[in-house]
mmCIF file with all atom_site columns, all heavy atoms in Angstrom:
data_model
loop_
_atom_site.group_PDB
_atom_site.id
_atom_site.type_symbol
_atom_site.label_atom_id
_atom_site.label_alt_id
_atom_site.label_comp_id
_atom_site.label_asym_id
_atom_site.label_entity_id
_atom_site.label_seq_id
_atom_site.pdbx_PDB_ins_code
_atom_site.Cartn_x
_atom_site.Cartn_y
_atom_site.Cartn_z
_atom_site.occupancy
_atom_site.B_iso_or_equiv
_atom_site.pdbx_formal_charge
_atom_site.auth_seq_id
_atom_site.auth_comp_id
_atom_site.auth_asym_id
_atom_site.auth_atom_id
_atom_site.pdbx_PDB_model_num
ATOM   1   N N   . TYR M 1 11 ? 106.162 102.133 6.665  1.00 0.00 ? 11  TYR M N   1
ATOM   2   C CA  . TYR M 1 11 ? 106.141 102.274 5.213  1.00 0.00 ? 11  TYR M CA  1
ATOM   3   C C   . TYR M 1 11 ? 106.041 100.899 4.588  1.00 0.00 ? 11  TYR M C   1
ATOM   4   O O   . TYR M 1 11 ? 106.466 99.905  5.188  1.00 0.00 ? 11  TYR M O   1
ATOM   5   C CB  . TYR M 1 11 ? 107.412 102.986 4.733  1.00 0.00 ? 11  TYR M CB  1
ATOM   6   C CG  . TYR M 1 11 ? 107.419 104.464 5.043  1.00 0.00 ? 11  TYR M CG  1
ATOM   7   C CD1 . TYR M 1 11 ? 108.291 104.996 5.993  1.00 0.00 ? 11  TYR M CD1 1
ATOM   8   C CD2 . TYR M 1 11 ? 106.546 105.326 4.382  1.00 0.00 ? 11  TYR M CD2 1
ATOM   9   C CE1 . TYR M 1 11 ? 108.294 106.353 6.275  1.00 0.00 ? 11  TYR M CE1 1
ATOM   10  C CE2 . TYR M 1 11 ? 106.551 106.691 4.667  1.00 0.00 ? 11  TYR M CE2 1
ATOM   11  C CZ  . TYR M 1 11 ? 107.419 107.189 5.608  1.00 0.00 ? 11  TYR M CZ  1
ATOM   12  O OH  . TYR M 1 11 ? 107.417 108.542 5.898  1.00 0.00 ? 11  TYR M OH  1
ATOM   13  N N   . PRO M 1 12 ? 105.497 100.838 3.371  1.00 0.00 ? 12  PRO M N   1
ATOM   14  C CA  . PRO M 1 12 ? 105.471 99.556  2.663  1.00 0.00 ? 12  PRO M CA  1
ATOM   15  C C   . PRO M 1 12 ? 106.906 99.009  2.602  1.00 0.00 ? 12  PRO M C   1
ATOM   16  O O   . PRO M 1 12 ? 107.839 99.768  2.379  1.00 0.00 ? 12  PRO M O   1
ATOM   17  C CB  . PRO M 1 12 ? 104.982 99.934  1.258  1.00 0.00 ? 12  PRO M CB  1
ATOM   18  C CG  . PRO M 1 12 ? 104.282 101.235 1.412  1.00 0.00 ? 12  PRO M CG  1
ATOM   19  C CD  . PRO M 1 12 ? 104.919 101.932 2.579  1.00 0.00 ? 12  PRO M CD  1
ATOM   20  N N   . VAL M 1 15 ? 109.502 99.259  6.984  1.00 0.00 ? 15  VAL M N   1
ATOM   21  C CA  . VAL M 1 15 ? 110.252 100.194 7.827  1.00 0.00 ? 15  VAL M CA  1
ATOM   22  C C   . VAL M 1 15 ? 109.276 100.895 8.771  1.00 0.00 ? 15  VAL M C   1
ATOM   23  O O   . VAL M 1 15 ? 108.317 101.529 8.327  1.00 0.00 ? 15  VAL M O   1
ATOM   24  C CB  . VAL M 1 15 ? 110.977 101.270 6.986  1.00 0.00 ? 15  VAL M CB  1
ATOM   25  C CG1 . VAL M 1 15 ? 111.686 102.273 7.880  1.00 0.00 ? 15  VAL M CG1 1
ATOM   26  C CG2 . VAL M 1 15 ? 111.966 100.633 6.024  1.00 0.00 ? 15  VAL M CG2 1
ATOM   27  N N   . ALA M 1 16 ? 109.529 100.762 10.086 1.00 0.00 ? 16  ALA M N   1
ATOM   28  C CA  . ALA M 1 16 ? 108.711 101.480 11.069 1.00 0.00 ? 16  ALA M CA  1
ATOM   29  C C   . ALA M 1 16 ? 109.395 102.811 11.346 1.00 0.00 ? 16  ALA M C   1
ATOM   30  O O   . ALA M 1 16 ? 110.317 102.891 12.153 1.00 0.00 ? 16  ALA M O   1
ATOM   31  C CB  . ALA M 1 16 ? 108.565 100.659 12.341 1.00 0.00 ? 16  ALA M CB  1
ATOM   32  N N   . ALA M 1 17 ? 108.941 103.871 10.660 1.00 0.00 ? 17  ALA M N   1
ATOM   33  C CA  . ALA M 1 17 ? 109.581 105.185 10.785 1.00 0.00 ? 17  ALA M CA  1
ATOM   34  C C   . ALA M 1 17 ? 109.194 105.860 12.097 1.00 0.00 ? 17  ALA M C   1
ATOM   35  O O   . ALA M 1 17 ? 109.968 106.640 12.641 1.00 0.00 ? 17  ALA M O   1
ATOM   36  C CB  . ALA M 1 17 ? 109.213 106.066 9.602  1.00 0.00 ? 17  ALA M CB  1
ATOM   37  N N   . GLY M 1 35 ? 116.712 115.370 15.930 1.00 0.00 ? 35  GLY M N   1
ATOM   38  C CA  . GLY M 1 35 ? 117.164 113.982 15.938 1.00 0.00 ? 35  GLY M CA  1
ATOM   39  C C   . GLY M 1 35 ? 118.050 113.738 14.733 1.00 0.00 ? 35  GLY M C   1
ATOM   40  O O   . GLY M 1 35 ? 118.060 114.540 13.799 1.00 0.00 ? 35  GLY M O   1
ATOM   41  N N   . PRO M 1 36 ? 118.778 112.628 14.756 1.00 0.00 ? 36  PRO M N   1
ATOM   42  C CA  . PRO M 1 36 ? 119.689 112.343 13.641 1.00 0.00 ? 36  PRO M CA  1
ATOM   43  C C   . PRO M 1 36 ? 118.927 111.995 12.365 1.00 0.00 ? 36  PRO M C   1
ATOM   44  O O   . PRO M 1 36 ? 117.725 111.726 12.395 1.00 0.00 ? 36  PRO M O   1
ATOM   45  C CB  . PRO M 1 36 ? 120.508 111.154 14.137 1.00 0.00 ? 36  PRO M CB  1
ATOM   46  C CG  . PRO M 1 36 ? 119.723 110.554 15.238 1.00 0.00 ? 36  PRO M CG  1
ATOM   47  C CD  . PRO M 1 36 ? 118.858 111.628 15.817 1.00 0.00 ? 36  PRO M CD  1
ATOM   48  N N   . SER M 1 37 ? 119.648 112.011 11.267 1.00 0.00 ? 37  SER M N   1
ATOM   49  C CA  . SER M 1 37 ? 119.076 111.635 9.981  1.00 0.00 ? 37  SER M CA  1
ATOM   50  C C   . SER M 1 37 ? 118.492 110.222 10.066 1.00 0.00 ? 37  SER M C   1
ATOM   51  O O   . SER M 1 37 ? 119.090 109.335 10.656 1.00 0.00 ? 37  SER M O   1
ATOM   52  C CB  . SER M 1 37 ? 120.197 111.705 8.939  1.00 0.00 ? 37  SER M CB  1
ATOM   53  O OG  . SER M 1 37 ? 119.702 111.306 7.703  1.00 0.00 ? 37  SER M OG  1
ATOM   54  N N   . GLY M 1 38 ? 117.301 110.057 9.531  1.00 0.00 ? 38  GLY M N   1
ATOM   55  C CA  . GLY M 1 38 ? 116.664 108.739 9.529  1.00 0.00 ? 38  GLY M CA  1
ATOM   56  C C   . GLY M 1 38 ? 115.887 108.416 10.786 1.00 0.00 ? 38  GLY M C   1
ATOM   57  O O   . GLY M 1 38 ? 115.319 107.330 10.916 1.00 0.00 ? 38  GLY M O   1
ATOM   58  N N   . SER M 1 39 ? 115.808 109.373 11.731 1.00 0.00 ? 39  SER M N   1
ATOM   59  C CA  . SER M 1 39 ? 115.149 109.072 13.006 1.00 0.00 ? 39  SER M CA  1
ATOM   60  C C   . SER M 1 39 ? 113.623 109.163 12.928 1.00 0.00 ? 39  SER M C   1
ATOM   61  O O   . SER M 1 39 ? 112.933 108.741 13.857 1.00 0.00 ? 39  SER M O   1
ATOM   62  C CB  . SER M 1 39 ? 115.684 110.001 14.096 1.00 0.00 ? 39  SER M CB  1
ATOM   63  O OG  . SER M 1 39 ? 115.521 111.351 13.729 1.00 0.00 ? 39  SER M OG  1
ATOM   64  N N   . GLY M 1 40 ? 113.100 109.754 11.836 1.00 0.00 ? 40  GLY M N   1
ATOM   65  C CA  . GLY M 1 40 ? 111.650 109.823 11.688 1.00 0.00 ? 40  GLY M CA  1
ATOM   66  C C   . GLY M 1 40 ? 111.081 111.232 11.730 1.00 0.00 ? 40  GLY M C   1
ATOM   67  O O   . GLY M 1 40 ? 109.861 111.413 11.736 1.00 0.00 ? 40  GLY M O   1
ATOM   68  N N   . LYS M 1 41 ? 111.948 112.246 11.718 1.00 0.00 ? 41  LYS M N   1
ATOM   69  C CA  . LYS M 1 41 ? 111.481 113.635 11.847 1.00 0.00 ? 41  LYS M CA  1
ATOM   70  C C   . LYS M 1 41 ? 110.565 114.038 10.688 1.00 0.00 ? 41  LYS M C   1
ATOM   71  O O   . LYS M 1 41 ? 109.513 114.623 10.907 1.00 0.00 ? 41  LYS M O   1
ATOM   72  C CB  . LYS M 1 41 ? 112.681 114.603 11.902 1.00 0.00 ? 41  LYS M CB  1
ATOM   73  C CG  . LYS M 1 41 ? 113.671 114.322 13.012 1.00 0.00 ? 41  LYS M CG  1
ATOM   74  C CD  . LYS M 1 41 ? 114.781 115.364 13.054 1.00 0.00 ? 41  LYS M CD  1
ATOM   75  C CE  . LYS M 1 41 ? 115.636 115.429 11.793 1.00 0.00 ? 41  LYS M CE  1
ATOM   76  N NZ  . LYS M 1 41 ? 116.384 114.191 11.492 1.00 0.00 ? 41  LYS M NZ  1
ATOM   77  N N   . SER M 1 42 ? 111.000 113.752 9.472  1.00 0.00 ? 42  SER M N   1
ATOM   78  C CA  . SER M 1 42 ? 110.189 114.163 8.312  1.00 0.00 ? 42  SER M CA  1
ATOM   79  C C   . SER M 1 42 ? 108.868 113.417 8.285  1.00 0.00 ? 42  SER M C   1
ATOM   80  O O   . SER M 1 42 ? 107.825 113.992 7.934  1.00 0.00 ? 42  SER M O   1
ATOM   81  C CB  . SER M 1 42 ? 110.931 113.911 7.000  1.00 0.00 ? 42  SER M CB  1
ATOM   82  O OG  . SER M 1 42 ? 112.062 114.727 6.936  1.00 0.00 ? 42  SER M OG  1
ATOM   83  N N   . THR M 1 43 ? 108.916 112.146 8.653  1.00 0.00 ? 43  THR M N   1
ATOM   84  C CA  . THR M 1 43 ? 107.678 111.365 8.715  1.00 0.00 ? 43  THR M CA  1
ATOM   85  C C   . THR M 1 43 ? 106.728 112.004 9.724  1.00 0.00 ? 43  THR M C   1
ATOM   86  O O   . THR M 1 43 ? 105.525 112.165 9.452  1.00 0.00 ? 43  THR M O   1
ATOM   87  C CB  . THR M 1 43 ? 108.000 109.916 9.118  1.00 0.00 ? 43  THR M CB  1
ATOM   88  O OG1 . THR M 1 43 ? 108.887 109.362 8.135  1.00 0.00 ? 43  THR M OG1 1
ATOM   89  C CG2 . THR M 1 43 ? 106.738 109.080 9.206  1.00 0.00 ? 43  THR M CG2 1
ATOM   90  N N   . LEU M 1 44 ? 107.261 112.413 10.865 1.00 0.00 ? 44  LEU M N   1
ATOM   91  C CA  . LEU M 1 44 ? 106.442 113.058 11.894 1.00 0.00 ? 44  LEU M CA  1
ATOM   92  C C   . LEU M 1 44 ? 105.839 114.358 11.359 1.00 0.00 ? 44  LEU M C   1
ATOM   93  O O   . LEU M 1 44 ? 104.650 114.635 11.541 1.00 0.00 ? 44  LEU M O   1
ATOM   94  C CB  . LEU M 1 44 ? 107.314 113.322 13.129 1.00 0.00 ? 44  LEU M CB  1
ATOM   95  C CG  . LEU M 1 44 ? 106.613 113.936 14.334 1.00 0.00 ? 44  LEU M CG  1
ATOM   96  C CD1 . LEU M 1 44 ? 105.492 113.036 14.834 1.00 0.00 ? 44  LEU M CD1 1
ATOM   97  C CD2 . LEU M 1 44 ? 107.615 114.191 15.461 1.00 0.00 ? 44  LEU M CD2 1
HETATM 98  P P1  . ADP R 2 .  ? 114.451 111.949 9.147  1.00 0.00 ? 301 ADP R P1  1
HETATM 99  O O1  . ADP R 2 .  ? 113.557 113.034 8.653  1.00 0.00 ? 301 ADP R O1  1
HETATM 100 O O2  . ADP R 2 .  ? 114.688 112.012 10.617 1.00 0.00 ? 301 ADP R O2  1
HETATM 101 O O3  . ADP R 2 .  ? 115.720 111.855 8.376  1.00 0.00 ? 301 ADP R O3  1
HETATM 102 P P2  . ADP R 2 .  ? 112.542 110.136 7.920  1.00 0.00 ? 301 ADP R P2  1
HETATM 103 O O4  . ADP R 2 .  ? 111.230 110.353 8.531  1.00 0.00 ? 301 ADP R O4  1
HETATM 104 O O5  . ADP R 2 .  ? 112.790 110.730 6.575  1.00 0.00 ? 301 ADP R O5  1
HETATM 105 O O6  . ADP R 2 .  ? 113.691 110.554 8.937  1.00 0.00 ? 301 ADP R O6  1
HETATM 106 O O7  . ADP R 2 .  ? 112.802 108.565 7.780  1.00 0.00 ? 301 ADP R O7  1
HETATM 107 C C1  . ADP R 2 .  ? 112.598 107.643 8.858  1.00 0.00 ? 301 ADP R C1  1
HETATM 108 C C2  . ADP R 2 .  ? 112.801 106.236 8.347  1.00 0.00 ? 301 ADP R C2  1
HETATM 109 O O8  . ADP R 2 .  ? 111.770 105.902 7.418  1.00 0.00 ? 301 ADP R O8  1
HETATM 110 C C3  . ADP R 2 .  ? 114.109 106.004 7.604  1.00 0.00 ? 301 ADP R C3  1
HETATM 111 O O9  . ADP R 2 .  ? 114.555 104.711 7.885  1.00 0.00 ? 301 ADP R O9  1
HETATM 112 C C4  . ADP R 2 .  ? 113.715 106.141 6.148  1.00 0.00 ? 301 ADP R C4  1
HETATM 113 O O10 . ADP R 2 .  ? 114.589 105.412 5.346  1.00 0.00 ? 301 ADP R O10 1
HETATM 114 C C5  . ADP R 2 .  ? 112.306 105.566 6.148  1.00 0.00 ? 301 ADP R C5  1
HETATM 115 N N1  . ADP R 2 .  ? 111.447 106.170 5.124  1.00 0.00 ? 301 ADP R N1  1
HETATM 116 C C6  . ADP R 2 .  ? 111.147 107.487 4.987  1.00 0.00 ? 301 ADP R C6  1
HETATM 117 N N2  . ADP R 2 .  ? 110.301 107.689 3.967  1.00 0.00 ? 301 ADP R N2  1
HETATM 118 C C7  . ADP R 2 .  ? 110.049 106.459 3.435  1.00 0.00 ? 301 ADP R C7  1
HETATM 119 C C8  . ADP R 2 .  ? 109.235 105.984 2.351  1.00 0.00 ? 301 ADP R C8  1
HETATM 120 N N3  . ADP R 2 .  ? 108.479 106.824 1.627  1.00 0.00 ? 301 ADP R N3  1
HETATM 121 N N4  . ADP R 2 .  ? 109.226 104.651 2.113  1.00 0.00 ? 301 ADP R N4  1
HETATM 122 C C9  . ADP R 2 .  ? 109.961 103.804 2.843  1.00 0.00 ? 301 ADP R C9  1
HETATM 123 N N5  . ADP R 2 .  ? 110.741 104.167 3.878  1.00 0.00 ? 301 ADP R N5  1
HETATM 124 C C10 . ADP R 2 .  ? 110.784 105.486 4.172  1.00 0.00 ? 301 ADP R C10 1
#
Side-chain angles (χ1 to χ4, degrees):
Y11 287 111
V15 177
S37 178
S39 56
K41 303 183 298 298
S42 295
T43 300
L44 183 60

